[in-house]
Amino acid sequence: MKIAIDAMGGDFAPRSIVEGAILAAREHGVPVVLVGEEKTIRQEAAMVSGSDSLPLTFVHASEAVGMDESPLTAIRKKKDSSIKVAFDLLKKGEVSAVVSAGNSGAVLATAVFVLEKLTGVDRPAIGTIFPTLKGSTLLLDAGANVDCKPFHLVQFALMGDAYAKYILKKEKPIVGLLSNGEEESKGNELIRETNAILKRSSIGYVGPVEGRDIFNGRADVVICDGFVGNAALKICEGLAEAIGAMI
Amino acid sequence: MKIAIDAMGGDFAPRSIVEGAILAAREHGVPVVLVGEEKTIRQEAAMVSGSDSLPLTFVHASEAVGMDESPLTAIRKKKDSSIKVAFDLLKKGEVSAVVSAGNSGAVLATAVFVLEKLTGVDRPAIGTIFPTLKGSTLLLDAGANVDCKPFHLVQFALMGDAYAKYILKKEKPIVGLLSNGEEESKGNELIRETNAILKRSSIGYVGPVEGRDIFNGRADVVICDGFVGNAALKICEGLAEAIGAMI
């Protein structure tokens, strides 16, 4: 299974990305395709000793999308960006997955543009795995869709269920809907309507869960809209940093 | 300044509440009015040695609101609840504040019912103070209003500004609006509309802030709707518990 890596995306690209790709190839034996400004990334790779014996290949892309660039502008104007070239490789079946630490909006938009969506999926979601006391919890959407309708959240629940089953290998995943209390009377309008639909679904839906349940293993998958999910993620980063600074 | 304490509210009421009230009276010399089933709370107080020499008084209330009771049912049916009696004391000017660890919905609804709202305030908000690396950040709404319109958030911003000024003694409080990025193009519909209004306000509005900014002192006051605020609060509790269990 070959993996394409966007060598130009991320705050410390390309150096840290190339170094990380080499570590992955060395430790896991994964064939890695580094996509980006070929001369630069070959030079970066050459600086890491022993990299020439690893299953690394290089594919040239003449452009890179900046962290603050608009996703739509990137798609329209940078037709040879490392993100676009990486997804083209996936589309052609030359790689099995794309990894990018770059502009997440551009990655998402390019993925939809190049690969299109599965039937029944109106919007892609960003899934984030939180480490917990009992293993891991998948939270989605972590930021792709800030304004959602109930049917979007229902689709996220189905996608999260499938991800937990086939990627996290949980036989019968427990799916929860993030709310401000476990009672069905709680939640905002979006959550109450989504709950009413999910209750009738065939997935292992446990009902509304609370923010603290992300960490205690009560659910394998926690569903929320991208605004709340992004806030959740960044609040955790902020709190963990603050605790780290205090202890 | 006398403080009324709802002795019947909270998971470990009345014992822990009475003990806490006695500690407050002893350590800070605050005159405390304990409101609840008088015989029971007098007995609890008598069990703490030295409590008879403290500025403690007792006011009888024949009923208590349970943690899972509907706020509206509590208001309608329990006209002699400890929460109601405590707010009546405040209304009559016999105390300066009410403290309750009980059913927050019932406390909020009773406060509105007995005291009414200030002109210009459509809905009360729950304010929560987060300890940060640089002092403290006030977050509101932490759970009173799960569905908000922009003008509600604008009112919360004005209330938060006043609280930070007069209670937290910050001369020129910096107010931020919780979003999924600092750029004005980010945020959901509610946040983008609220931001447009707050930009024209006279408070020290810094613009959209991210979840991590709650902890780094970037803003003195962070505004969000009650659904997001409640999730934020409980995610922090969950993460802090998980980190505590790991280290």
Side-chain angles (χ1 to χ4, degrees), chain A residues 1 3 7 18 39 87 98 120 133 144 160 163 174 182 188 194 207 216 220 230:
Chain A
M1 189 168 74
I3 313 253
V18 172
K39 203 177 143 202
F87 278 109
V98 170
L133 295 175
Y163 190 96
I174 297 167
E182 291 174 15
N188 56 18
T194 306
N216 62 18
D220 300 307
N230 185 277

Side-chain angles (χ1 to χ4, degrees), chain B:
Chain B
M1 188 168 73
K2 269 190 188 175
I3 312 252
I5 295 187
D6 165 20
M8 312 308 282
D11 291 334
F12 302 101
R15 177 159 298 175
S16 297
I17 307 297
V18 172
E19 288 175 357
I22 289 171
L23 272 177
R26 180 178 291 145
E27 292 187 10
H28 303 286
V30 188
V32 173
V33 182
L34 279 158
V35 183
E37 213 293 297
E38 192 172 348
K39 204 178 141 199
T40 313
I41 56 178
R42 278 193 183 273
Q43 279 171 355
E44 290 291 349
M47 285 167 66
V48 182
S49 71
S51 67
D52 48 356
S53 62
L54 294 170
L56 288 179
T57 48
F58 300 84
V59 170
H60 182 65
S62 62
E63 293 170 301
V65 177
M67 290 305 270
D68 298 323
E69 258 179 275
S70 143
L72 289 181
T73 314
I75 288 188
R76 260 188 245 119
K77 305 215 165 151
K78 295 194 169 168
K79 300 207 187 287
D80 197 43
S81 76
S82 53
I83 295 173
K84 173 69 165 50
V85 172
F87 278 108
D88 284 340
L89 292 175
L90 183 55
K91 173 89 174 177
K92 285 184 275 181
E94 293 182 20
V95 299
S96 306
V98 170
V99 173
S100 174
N103 183 319
S104 52
V107 171
L108 199 78
T110 308
V112 172
F113 180 71
V114 175
L115 305 174
E116 301 177 2
K117 288 168 296 181
L118 294 174
T119 310
V121 174
D122 284 277
R123 294 188 188 172
I126 296 176
T128 297
I129 293 175
F130 282 80
T132 73
L133 295 174
K134 290 184 187 169
S136 60
T137 300
L138 173 70
L139 179 117
L140 75 168
D141 174 20
N145 310 281
V146 291
D147 286 297
C148 290
K149 300 284 179 201
F151 70 91
H152 294 129
L153 297 195
V154 170
Q155 292 177 2
F156 299 166
L158 300 177
M159 290 193 274
D161 177 67
Y163 189 95
K165 238 177 236 162
Y166 301 109
I167 309 292
L168 303 179
K169 309 286 182 201
K170 308 207 178 187
E171 211 175 308
K172 181 73 184 159
I174 296 166
V175 179
L177 182 63
L178 189 63
S179 187
N180 59 324
E182 291 174 17
E183 305 85 352
E184 294 198 341
S185 60
K186 298 246 174 134
N188 55 18
E189 224 176 289
L190 172 65
I191 294 305
R192 288 196 303 272
E193 286 179 31
T194 306
N195 176 59
I197 305 172
L198 284 177
K199 273 169 65 182
R200 302 193 311 263
S201 73
S202 58
I203 60 171
Y205 177 59
V206 74
V209 297
E210 294 193 275
R212 61 165 64 86
D213 294 324
I214 295 171
F215 302 99
N216 62 18
R218 187 152 179 262
D220 300 307
V221 180
V222 171
I223 304 301
C224 58
D225 71 46
F227 184 84
V228 173
N230 185 277
L233 199 60
K234 288 181 179 164
I235 284 168
C236 290
E237 288 174 5
L239 178 58
E241 273 168 26
I243 292 177
M246 281 183 235
I247 59 178

Side-chain angles (χ1 to χ4, degrees), chain A:
Chain A
M1 189 168 74
K2 271 191 186 174
I3 313 253
I5 295 188
D6 166 19
M8 312 308 281
D11 291 333
F12 303 101
R15 176 158 299 174
S16 297
I17 307 297
V18 172
E19 288 175 358
I22 289 171
L23 272 176
R26 181 177 290 145
E27 292 187 11
H28 303 287
V30 188
V32 173
V33 182
L34 279 158
V35 183
E37 213 292 297
E38 192 172 349
K39 203 177 143 202
T40 313
I41 58 178
R42 277 192 185 274
Q43 278 172 355
E44 290 291 350
M47 285 167 66
V48 181
S49 70
S51 67
D52 47 356
S53 62
L54 293 170
L56 287 180
T57 47
F58 300 85
V59 170
H60 182 64
S62 63
E63 293 170 302
V65 177
M67 290 305 270
D68 297 323
E69 258 180 275
S70 142
L72 290 181
T73 313
I75 289 187
R76 261 189 243 120
K77 305 216 165 151
K78 296 196 169 168
K79 299 206 187 290
D80 197 42
S81 75
S82 54
I83 295 173
K84 174 67 165 50
V85 172
F87 278 109
D88 284 340
L89 292 174
L90 184 55
K91 173 89 173 176
K92 285 185 274 180
E94 294 182 20
V95 298
S96 304
V98 170
V99 173
S100 174
N103 183 319
S104 52
V107 171
L108 199 78
T110 307
V112 172
F113 180 72
V114 175
L115 306 174
E116 298 177 3
K117 289 168 296 181
L118 294 174
T119 309
V121 174
D122 283 277
R123 294 189 187 171
I126 296 176
T128 297
I129 293 176
F130 283 80
T132 72
L133 295 175
K134 291 184 187 170
S136 60
T137 300
L138 172 69
L139 179 117
L140 75 168
D141 173 18
N145 309 281
V146 292
D147 285 298
C148 290
K149 301 284 179 201
F151 71 91
H152 294 129
L153 297 194
V154 171
Q155 292 177 3
F156 299 165
L158 300 177
M159 291 194 271
D161 177 67
Y163 190 96
K165 237 178 235 161
Y166 301 109
I167 308 292
L168 303 179
K169 308 286 182 201
K170 308 208 179 187
E171 211 175 308
K172 180 75 185 158
I174 297 167
V175 179
L177 182 64
L178 189 62
S179 186
N180 60 323
E182 291 174 15
E183 305 84 354
E184 295 199 340
S185 59
K186 297 248 176 136
N188 56 18
E189 223 176 290
L190 171 66
I191 294 306
R192 288 195 305 272
E193 285 179 33
T194 306
N195 176 59
I197 304 171
L198 284 177
K199 273 169 65 182
R200 304 194 309 264
S201 74
S202 59
I203 61 171
Y205 178 60
V206 74
V209 298
E210 294 192 274
R212 61 165 63 86
D213 294 323
I214 295 172
F215 303 99
N216 62 18
R218 185 150 182 261
D220 300 307
V221 180
V222 172
I223 304 301
C224 57
D225 71 46
F227 184 84
V228 172
N230 185 277
L233 199 60
K234 289 181 179 163
I235 284 167
C236 290
E237 287 173 7
L239 179 58
E241 273 169 26
I243 292 177
M246 282 183 233
I247 58 178

